[in-house]
């Protein structure tokens, strides 16, 4: 018989598996039972769509057999089985999904127990097996085949005998060594415990003969060993159990196993709804942002069950985009088992359920915000961006639902606050919500325009995410208070008197500003004196709806379109530079032009904008320094 080599990748993984010291070996059983359950699912689905497949769901089972003499464990299922080619293909190469997951996680976190956490399927059995035989007969076929391997050199496939369709996996345990007692897996109680821990919600019965010590019939003191077949798993899905009987740990384990997360969920919530629509949902908020969450390949969705039977793995319709971070499932008797993906999109029941779920998630978040601020801050760090995108998207359709879930950094509190909290803290006569944008909170805090507000004890929200300003513009106002960018030209904290004085001053210097504006060609639409600065000589402000920060965001997008915010160069009226400019206008216009160019570049630098002509500017500065 010709021995086949394992594919290179499988071989490496096998080595890792067999030699891994961290690994929790118990999980081999979970992996094999899951495979058995999948194989039964496949046959069951086939029976739903193909009337020739006549099978009663109640006949399905997974059987475990422990043989102490031969030191074997057999896992048998009456699922779909594998043909010769399938044995070769499926068990000769490590499965795509498993290996992919493995690689990704390994890149991210070197130290964690990768294998124990995620499982890599069938191969994990080689942690405990000296040899594995797989005897399988495909449903509808007359031929059975045996695959066997010692996990080192490769595997063989030969013809075999098997009465019924399905698959038997026979594990020949390794000999006990100083490092590990493999024979513990021949103990019924050990196996029972592992099944209950990892495979309790498998929806088919997992059966095993268990020996119990029982009083011999008719005797008062003579005990005998009686073997009885027992179903080890509860089969009851966790979300169908009485909530008071499920521990937090059980939910966490369910979550980490089902969604391949290494960290337990930040929040678990379960609801049962009856009425317009009837369903149970079990939902989770992850404790961290999934590595692919903000990528375009991330798929949102909840698993959809119909009375405990999976209909669809990830039903996107059940979650709105702004809550796409939620994981979990929905089980509803109203959903038909054979519903197609196309129909799902239109289905009325599903629409009702998804509306209801959206409300539940919102309530849960509000509750967290109100009662557990610490946790909410963490949540917002992970997924706040998604909420803000949600405010902006769909032409602001969801903005009112989401506005009270938003947090922004406050210049006064130096921490994140809600819009409601901002409004509570308004100064007398203040009818606006002020904000400033920039790359980081520190940089915003140093913006010249911010100084003035801080001095007057006016709270300013600092925005640093690209979406922030777009989201606020979509909201327009909160509680009747308009959002105002403090870098807008028309934002003015001056008294009427000061305003007048400034206007006078600007009028007097009109010709100076005209020359400065001409010097800067089309770069700015205005040059003028301002009262808004304390220590800085100059700043840039914007006119209209497009702010300087938004210009940066839009121009960073990969399109050919480039836009310019309409900007004004403002010069601090009380800074010595103001007088210097006035003097130069009288004495040396050429010098004034150079000053103008340098000051404008300075203002751009502070705003985090690029300088178009760095060589010219640096030459000018050098010229000034050399004087
Ligand atoms: P995964 O289950 O992640 O796909 P495995 O390595 O555990 O990876 O299994 C590889 C493939 O072998 C499965 O996808 C399935 O097609 C097949 N397989 C494994 N066990 C069984 C079984 N008991 N019955 C039928 N097919 C099986």
């Amino acid at each position: 018989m010709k021995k086949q080599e394992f594919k290179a990748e499988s071989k490496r993984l096998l080595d890792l598996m067999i030699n891994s010291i961290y690994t929790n070996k118990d999980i081999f059983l979970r992996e094999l039972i899951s495979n058995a359950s999948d194989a039964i699912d496949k046959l069951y689905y086939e029976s739903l769509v193909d009337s020739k497949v006549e099978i009663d769901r109640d006949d399905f089972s997974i059987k475990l057999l422990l043989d102490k003499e031969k030191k074997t464990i057999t896992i048998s299922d009456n699922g779909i089985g594998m043909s010769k080619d399938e044995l070769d293909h499926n068990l000769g190469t490590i499965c795509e999904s498993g290996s992919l997951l493995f690689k990704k996680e390994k890149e991210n976190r070197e130290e964690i127990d990768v294998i124990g956490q995620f499982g890599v399927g069938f191969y994990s059995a080689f942690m405990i097996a000296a040899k594995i035989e797989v005897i399988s007969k495909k449903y509808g076929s007359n031929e059975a085949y045996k695959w066997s391997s010692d996990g080192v050199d490769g595997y063989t496939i030969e013809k075999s005998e098997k009465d019924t369709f399905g698959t038997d996996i026979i594990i020949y345990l390794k000999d006990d060594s100083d490092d590990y007692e493999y024979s513990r897996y021949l103990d019924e109680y050990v196996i029972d415990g592992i099944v209950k821990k990892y495979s309790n919600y498998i929806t088919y019965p997992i059966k095993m003969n268990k020996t119990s010590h029982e009083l011999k019939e008719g005797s008062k003191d003579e005990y005998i060993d009686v073997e009885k077949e027992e179903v080890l798993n509860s089969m009851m899905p966790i979300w169908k159990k009485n909530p008071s009987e499920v521990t937090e740990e059980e939910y966490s384990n369910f979550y980490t196993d089902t969604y391949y997360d290494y960290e337990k969920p930040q929040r678990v919530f379960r609801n049962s709804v009856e009425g317009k629509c009837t369903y149970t949902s079990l939902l989770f908020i992850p404790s961290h942002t999934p590595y692919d969450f903000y990528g375009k390949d991330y798929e949102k969705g909840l698993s959809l069950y119909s009375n405990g039977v999976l209909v669809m793995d990830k039903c996107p319709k059940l979650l709105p985009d702004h809550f796409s971070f939620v994981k979990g499932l929905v089980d509803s008797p109203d959903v038909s088992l054979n519903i197609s993906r196309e129909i799902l999109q239109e289905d009325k029941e599903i629409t009702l359920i998804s509306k209801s779920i959206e409300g539940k998630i919102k309530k849960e978040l509000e509750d967290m915000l109100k009662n557990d601020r610490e946790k909410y801050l963490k949540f917002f760090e992970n997924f706040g961006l998604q909420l803000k995108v949600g405010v902006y998207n769909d032409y602001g359709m969801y903005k009112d639902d989401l506005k009270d879930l938003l947090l922004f950094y406050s210049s006064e509190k130096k921490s994140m606050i809600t819009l409601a909290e901002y409004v509570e803290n308004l100064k007398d006569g203040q009818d606006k919500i002020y904000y400033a944008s920039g790359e980081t909170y520190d940089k915003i805090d140093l913006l010249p325009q911010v100084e003035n507000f801080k001095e007057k004890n006016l709270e300013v929200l600092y925005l640093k995410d690209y979406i922030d300003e777009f989201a606020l513009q979509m909201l327009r106002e909160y509680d009747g208070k308009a959002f105002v960018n403090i870098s807008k030209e028309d934002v003015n904290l001056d008294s009427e008197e000061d305003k007048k004085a400034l206007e006078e001053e600007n009028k007097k210097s009109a010709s100076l500003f005209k020359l400065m504006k001409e010097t800067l060609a089309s770069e700015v639409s205005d040059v003028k004196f301002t009262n808004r600065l304390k220590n800085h000589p100059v700043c840039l402000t914007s006119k209209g709806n497009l702010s300087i920060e938004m210009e940066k965001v839009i121009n960073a997008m990969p399109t050919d379109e480039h836009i310019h915010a309409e900007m004004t160069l403002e010069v601090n009226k009380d800074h010595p530079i103001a007088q210097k400019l006035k003097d130069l206008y009288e004495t040396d216009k050429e010098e004034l032009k150079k000053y103008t160019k340098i000051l404008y570049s300075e203002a751009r630098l502070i705003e985090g904008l690029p300088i178009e002509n760095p060589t010219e500017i640096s030459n000018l500065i050098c010229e000034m320094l050399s004087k």
Side-chain angles (χ1 to χ4, degrees), residues 35-36 38-39 42 77 80-82 90-91 95 97 120-123 167 169:
N35 282 352
D38 289 346
K42 279 181 200 155
D77 67 70
I80 190 124
M82 280 177 277
N90 295 344
L91 305 184
C95 77
S97 58
V120 276
F122 175 76
Y123 285 79
T167 305
I169 311 242

Side-chain angles (χ1 to χ4, degrees), residues 363-373 376:
K363 236 182 101 226
E364 196 68 22
L365 293 176
E366 283 167 349
D367 181 69
M368 187 177 4
L369 174 59
K370 195 163 153 228
N371 300 316
D372 197 343
R373 183 75 168 219
Y376 192 83

Side-chain angles (χ1 to χ4, degrees), residues 9 95-106 291:
E9 169 133 351
C95 77
E96 277 280 321
S97 58
S99 62
L100 210 74
L101 193 78
F102 178 75
K103 267 193 277 176
K104 282 208 178 117
E105 286 306 329
K106 194 161 153 51
Y291 67 91

